[in-house]
Amino acid sequence: MALAIYPGSFDPVTLGHLDIIFRSSKVFDKVIVAVSGESRSKNFWFSEIERCDFITRCIHHMKNVEVRAFEGLITDWAAAAGASVLVRGLRAVSDFEYELKMASMNRRLNPEIETVFMMTRTKYSFLSSSMVKEIASYDGQVEKFVPAKILDDIKKKQEERKNSDLS
Ligand code: ADP
């Protein structure tokens, strides 16, 4: 059985991520979306639980997809889960250098695990979680970029951040 892991921050999940998840679910027998934990040196808007929950709400129709939080090295985590493939999405050339570094390092760490890249759909090629947060922080409209099921959560978080002067 070909089990693939799609790791990322998903802070929050976007339509671009969901497109990669859906397309991966057609290629592999099973896909685990691995949501990185709080320990990574990133300034997340949403907790690990929230980020997992957002994705879970959107994947009901994909029966071979599951969401889990992960900590530590993704190669170790993937091997422990019995996976042999890491899926990553590629947008612009700017993604390439970082993804090449990551894939090369992950291969050094565990040569049994292959990184497979999936090209973004053109309509999502400019779309990133950080862009969504940037737009939301200026009270802009993000409904074209994220699943409708999480819109209220983004608005709520933006209000909280505004009120606590974090944004
Ligand atoms: P990370 O912090 O690990 O880069 P992200 O949540 O930003 O986590 O992205 C996870 C993966 O999804 C990465 O491989 C990224 O390139 C890919 N990705 C993000 N946005 C898009 C998009 N709009 N289209 C295709 N792939 C994307």
Side-chain angles (χ1 to χ4, degrees), residues 2-58:
L3 167 61
I5 308 288
Y6 178 35
S9 312
F10 307 104
D11 184 47
V13 67
T14 68
L15 295 178
H17 291 130
L18 284 176
D19 180 55
I20 299 287
I21 295 171
F22 180 69
R23 285 160 55 203
S24 303
S25 77
K26 301 273 172 208
V27 174
F28 300 101
D29 295 310
K30 184 171 173 184
V31 177
I32 300 176
V33 183
V35 177
S36 57
E38 313 291 346
S39 60
R40 274 183 64 181
S41 53
K42 288 206 171 181
N43 189 13
F44 292 130
W45 269 32
F46 298 98
S47 71
E48 179 185 293
I49 291 172
E50 287 171 313
R51 287 179 283 127
C52 287
D53 173 52
F54 293 169
I55 303 170
T56 305
R57 284 185 219 166
C58 303

Side-chain angles (χ1 to χ4, degrees), residues 89-108:
L90 273 184
R91 285 160 297 185
V93 179
S94 49
D95 276 345
F96 181 82
E97 201 177 330
Y98 174 73
E99 293 294 342
L100 176 66
K101 264 194 286 191
M102 287 286 291
S104 307
M105 182 50 78
N106 284 337
R107 183 177 295 114
R108 290 290 292 275

